[in-house]
Amino acid sequence: MTNIIFIIGMSIFALSSIYFFFAKKNSRINSAFLVSFVTLASYVLMWDGTYIAESVGGQPIFWTRWLFYALSCSLLMLEIAKVKGITSPSKVGELIFLNVLVMTGGFFAAITFGIAKWLFFILSSIAYIIQVMNILKIKGEKSNWVNAYIYFGWSVFPLVFILAPTGIEVFGAAIAMGLYLVLDIYTKIVFSLQLGD
Amino acid sequence: MTNIIFIIGMSIFALSSIYFFFAKKNSRINSAFLVSFVTLASYVLMWDGTYIAESVGGQPIFWTRWLFYALSCSLLMLEIAKVKGITSPSKVGELIFLNVLVMTGGFFAAITFGIAKWLFFILSSIAYIIQVMNILKIKGEKSNWVNAYIYFGWSVFPLVFILAPTGIEVFGAAIAMGLYLVLDIYTKIVFSLQLGD
Amino acid sequence: MTNIIFIIGMSIFALSSIYFFFAKKNSRINSAFLVSFVTLASYVLMWDGTYIAESVGGQPIFWTRWLFYALSCSLLMLEIAKVKGITSPSKVGELIFLNVLVMTGGFFAAITFGIAKWLFFILSSIAYIIQVMNILKIKGEKSNWVNAYIYFGWSVFPLVFILAPTGIEVFGAAIAMGLYLVLDIYTKIVFSLQLGD
């Protein structure tokens, strides 16, 4: 079942990679393409299925996901900084550094168990809250729209993490991967389409 | 015994993270907070104890330490560059690159054995010497104080590395972790406090 | 046999590290030295032989090579950007990001098998083609020479990858490592010597 979801994910992000590559507008870096391309590679590795851990309940944990997020979401951070009008290199650098902390925190929460898992989850959440507060406090032309995107898109990820085999295992890997796929499409493809140029 | 040291480390760096987060002055990036926060995560992972190697003498080698140092000490490098008045982005970039080489060298020296271990130790030391020479040769207002900090703080790390289970095993993991904790407090908390803004 | 090749590689890149360290001209960063130094470390780890995979045909796959390339070739990308007159930080950043994608793609192609291997090889090749197209389309004083270097130097790497134990195993690890050594010398030492200052 996770297999089919990964194949759907590979297909969708292969198509979005092609679309964004040719649809490139006046952006400094073709972030939309690179984000889709990195996500495609992430789905290939999860589909391969060699690099996984096992949850207490015997479900597969696809921990490589968070390492790819560290790359792809750093690019999204660049885009969001541009939309929000954050131009200071050190401020943009801080946002990217915080994003790397959030994702490596998620990675370690996924590969550890017991108290350590929840300590990493808390640390990752703290970095996430600081990152989001930094973004939300800046007012800008497209701010309302970007803020809504952050609330409804990003903040669902940690909820899935808690309920999935990475957390308290309310549901299994198949549902978790399905939900992550929907979130990936929303935060990486729909977001880039709405962003326009 | 290492367990208690890691719990002390987690507590201290949790407190310093909170302190530096709220004590933030006019710094471009809140490096003091981020350095403490990354170090806290490093102690959580060492306390968890899953990702360790074993020395020839049967002692645990906590090799993840050096990967976290690559992150945290790159931020310290940014701070030191600022104090020393190094503003050229390519010069700062070179210092950070050298720091990554020092720490990945330490990481590989920790996870290999025999000749390879000492070759990596030598390569890491060479990168370290080049890095320190680059910093020391620059004169500045606070230079004497920063130079003293580098001599008495940083240069003790490789000594501990040699005498610990990572090296010739003169003492065990508990003493090594205790010494590293003192050094971490001195180079990451005391340094940031002395730096002021 | 691979052992001897790695010892030769370590010796050559130790000598080139020393040479470039002292021959430094007016470059912003001593990239030539750092590239040789990182490559030296890469050969030490391959010579150590602990971190390898096994091909279907029973040959060793030295997958750490591509992680070191991600570091060293990012520096080469900086140099090429300078020679080609690419000064925009975001353009240079994009080239380095693409280089990291090419090398992590190669890394994943080296450690996976079957369809996943070839999917990663294709993804890495796509990133490589985009990277090279970005570089080739820019005209500059030294362009013809740099372009020839790219065609004859870089593009042989994926050919070796396909024919070596990482691919269809036409030849074994010894020949692969010998060819990579020649390519490493050409792209990292000869290139830096020709570049001059």
Side-chain angles (χ1 to χ4, degrees):
Chain A
M1 185 60 199
T2 51
N3 238 17
I4 299 169
I5 294 167
F6 292 142
I7 291 173
I8 297 172
M10 282 159 62
S11 310
I12 291 173
F13 282 98
L15 289 174
S16 67
S17 295
I18 294 169
Y19 173 78
F20 288 124
F21 182 75
F22 290 107
K24 189 186 175 176
K25 304 262 173 52
N26 284 322
S27 174
R28 302 163 302 170
I29 301 181
N30 195 344
S31 303
F33 160 71
L34 290 171
V35 167
S36 276
F37 193 76
V38 169
T39 308
L40 166 57
S42 176
Y43 274 90
V44 172
L45 196 61
M46 291 192 290
W47 170 75
D48 176 61
T50 310
Y51 299 94
I52 58 172
E54 202 178 79
S55 75
V56 176
Q59 290 279 312
I61 293 176
F62 298 88
W63 50 263
T64 53
R65 172 185 291 280
W66 287 275
L67 299 180
F68 284 88
Y69 281 164
L71 263 183
S72 61
C73 297
S74 289
L75 284 170
L76 284 176
M77 217 45 56
L78 271 181
E79 285 307 295
I80 286 167
K82 201 172 66 170
V83 173
K84 282 280 194 168
I86 302 169
T87 51
S88 148
S90 60
K91 201 71 207 162
V92 176
E94 190 174 11
L95 284 175
I96 290 173
F97 193 91
L98 281 165
N99 173 62
V100 170
L101 290 186
V102 171
M103 297 311 172
T104 52
F107 163 68
F108 285 120
I111 62 169
T112 51
F113 295 92
I115 301 176
K117 174 188 281 295
W118 295 107
L119 287 176
F120 278 116
F121 185 81
I122 292 169
L123 290 181
S124 179
S125 300
I126 291 172
Y128 175 68
I129 290 166
I130 296 172
Q131 181 190 24
V132 168
M133 298 285 272
N134 266 311
I135 295 170
L136 294 182
K137 76 180 174 200
I138 289 166
K139 308 271 173 261
E141 203 190 323
K142 292 182 185 174
S143 263
N144 288 337
W145 168 71
V146 173
N147 290 0
Y149 156 78
I150 289 170
Y151 286 129
F152 294 108
W154 293 4
S155 302
V156 185
F157 278 95
L159 287 180
V160 176
F161 190 100
I162 290 176
L163 301 173
T166 41
I168 58 174
E169 309 206 45
V170 170
F171 46 69
I175 293 180
M177 293 306 108
L179 290 172
Y180 278 131
L181 176 56
V182 173
L183 289 171
D184 282 339
I185 292 171
Y186 177 61
T187 56
K188 296 179 181 65
I189 299 179
V190 176
F191 173 73
S192 292
L193 287 173
Q194 280 198 275
L195 208 60
D197 64 322
Chain B
M1 185 60 200
T2 52
N3 239 16
I4 299 169
I5 294 167
F6 292 142
I7 291 172
I8 296 173
M10 283 159 62
S11 311
I12 290 175
F13 282 98
L15 289 174
S16 67
S17 295
I18 295 168
Y19 174 77
F20 287 124
F21 182 75
F22 290 106
K24 190 185 174 176
K25 303 260 174 54
N26 285 321
S27 174
R28 302 164 302 170
I29 302 181
N30 195 343
S31 304
F33 160 69
L34 290 172
V35 167
S36 276
F37 194 76
V38 168
T39 308
L40 165 56
S42 176
Y43 274 91
V44 172
L45 196 62
M46 291 192 289
W47 171 75
D48 177 61
T50 310
Y51 300 94
I52 58 171
E54 202 178 82
S55 75
V56 176
Q59 289 280 312
I61 293 176
F62 299 87
W63 50 263
T64 54
R65 172 185 292 280
W66 287 275
L67 300 180
F68 284 87
Y69 280 163
L71 264 183
S72 61
C73 297
S74 289
L75 283 171
L76 284 176
M77 217 46 57
L78 272 181
E79 285 307 293
I80 287 168
K82 201 172 65 169
V83 173
K84 283 281 194 168
I86 302 169
T87 52
S88 149
S90 59
K91 202 70 209 163
V92 175
E94 188 174 12
L95 284 175
I96 290 173
F97 194 91
L98 282 165
N99 174 62
V100 170
L101 290 186
V102 172
M103 297 311 171
T104 51
F107 163 67
F108 286 120
I111 62 169
T112 51
F113 295 93
I115 301 176
K117 174 188 280 296
W118 295 107
L119 287 176
F120 277 117
F121 185 82
I122 291 169
L123 290 181
S124 179
S125 300
I126 291 171
Y128 176 68
I129 290 167
I130 296 171
Q131 181 191 23
V132 168
M133 297 288 271
N134 265 310
I135 296 170
L136 294 182
K137 76 180 175 200
I138 289 165
K139 307 273 172 260
E141 204 190 321
K142 292 182 184 172
S143 263
N144 288 336
W145 168 70
V146 173
N147 291 358
Y149 157 77
I150 289 169
Y151 286 129
F152 294 109
W154 293 4
S155 303
V156 185
F157 278 94
L159 287 180
V160 175
F161 190 99
I162 290 175
L163 301 173
T166 41
I168 57 174
E169 309 206 43
V170 170
F171 47 70
I175 293 179
M177 293 305 109
L179 290 172
Y180 278 131
L181 176 57
V182 173
L183 289 171
D184 282 339
I185 293 170
Y186 177 61
T187 55
K188 296 179 181 67
I189 300 178
V190 176
F191 173 72
S192 292
L193 287 173
Q194 280 199 275
L195 207 60
D197 64 321
Chain C
M1 186 57 199
T2 52
N3 239 16
I4 298 169
I5 294 167
F6 292 141
I7 292 173
I8 295 172
M10 283 159 61
S11 310
I12 290 174
F13 282 97
L15 289 175
S16 67
S17 295
I18 296 170
Y19 173 77
F20 287 124
F21 183 76
F22 289 106
K24 189 185 174 176
K25 304 261 173 53
N26 284 321
S27 174
R28 303 163 302 169
I29 301 181
N30 195 342
S31 303
F33 160 70
L34 289 172
V35 166
S36 276
F37 194 74
V38 169
T39 308
L40 166 57
S42 176
Y43 273 91
V44 172
L45 195 62
M46 291 192 289
W47 171 75
D48 176 61
T50 310
Y51 300 95
I52 58 171
E54 201 178 79
S55 75
V56 175
Q59 289 279 312
I61 293 177
F62 298 88
W63 50 263
T64 53
R65 171 185 292 279
W66 287 276
L67 299 179
F68 284 87
Y69 281 164
L71 264 183
S72 61
C73 297
S74 289
L75 283 171
L76 283 176
M77 216 46 56
L78 272 181
E79 285 308 293
I80 286 168
K82 201 173 64 171
V83 173
K84 282 280 194 168
I86 303 169
T87 52
S88 149
S90 59
K91 201 71 209 162
V92 176
E94 189 174 12
L95 284 175
I96 290 173
F97 194 91
L98 282 165
N99 173 62
V100 170
L101 290 186
V102 171
M103 296 311 171
T104 51
F107 163 67
F108 285 120
I111 61 168
T112 52
F113 296 93
I115 301 176
K117 175 188 281 295
W118 295 107
L119 287 177
F120 278 117
F121 184 82
I122 291 169
L123 290 181
S124 179
S125 299
I126 291 171
Y128 175 68
I129 290 166
I130 296 172
Q131 181 189 24
V132 167
M133 297 286 272
N134 266 310
I135 296 170
L136 293 182
K137 75 180 176 199
I138 290 165
K139 307 270 173 266
E141 203 189 323
K142 291 182 185 173
S143 264
N144 288 337
W145 168 71
V146 174
N147 291 358
Y149 156 78
I150 289 170
Y151 286 129
F152 294 109
W154 293 4
S155 302
V156 185
F157 278 95
L159 287 180
V160 175
F161 190 99
I162 291 176
L163 301 174
T166 41
I168 56 174
E169 309 207 45
V170 170
F171 47 69
I175 292 179
M177 294 305 109
L179 290 172
Y180 278 130
L181 176 57
V182 172
L183 289 171
D184 282 339
I185 293 171
Y186 177 61
T187 56
K188 295 176 182 67
I189 299 178
V190 176
F191 172 73
S192 292
L193 287 173
Q194 279 198 275
L195 208 60
D197 63 323

